[in-house]
Amino acid sequence: QVHLAESGGGLVQAGGSLRLSCAASGGTFSRLTMGWFRQAPGKEREFVAAITWGGVSTNYVDSVKGRFTISRDNAKNTVYLEMNSLKPEDTAVYYCAVATPGWLGSLPSKDYEYDTWGQGTRVTVSS
């Protein structure tokens, strides 16, 4: 059973940057496809980014392309989300998640394609 713990959230001004971390324990992290999602107040949870086990392939929601970067360090069992040029609309609780093994085709981007979730870290971007 994989356990995930996010960190790095906080309050930042528009245009600023944050780096979120998600530390995994209890599983074979290097074989896991990982994703980041977010949920803004009053809205449904939204896919943000995903990365394959080797870090070769990534996928992003259009609204963060060019601003956010997902990466991973398998030696540290950690996946990161570097967020630059933050906007107030990026305000949300950010969650990391483990994709259900056996996915085919495009990197998973639906929350039902992920079966393990962290507790989330809050990001607030002020205007």
Side-chain angles (χ1 to χ4, degrees), residues 1-5 22-29 32 34 76-78 98 116:
Q1 181 78 25
V2 177
H3 177 73
L4 304 174
C22 173
S25 60
T28 308
F29 179 77
L32 302 176
M34 302 294 297
K76 296 183 178 179
N77 288 355
T78 302
V98 178
T116 302

Side-chain angles (χ1 to χ4, degrees), residues 64-82:
V64 307
K65 285 181 180 178
R67 300 189 298 122
F68 290 14
T69 303
I70 188 171
S71 62
R72 65 192 295 161
D73 185 338
N74 287 342
K76 296 183 178 179
N77 288 355
T78 302
V79 62
Y80 304 99
L81 187 66
E82 184 77 33

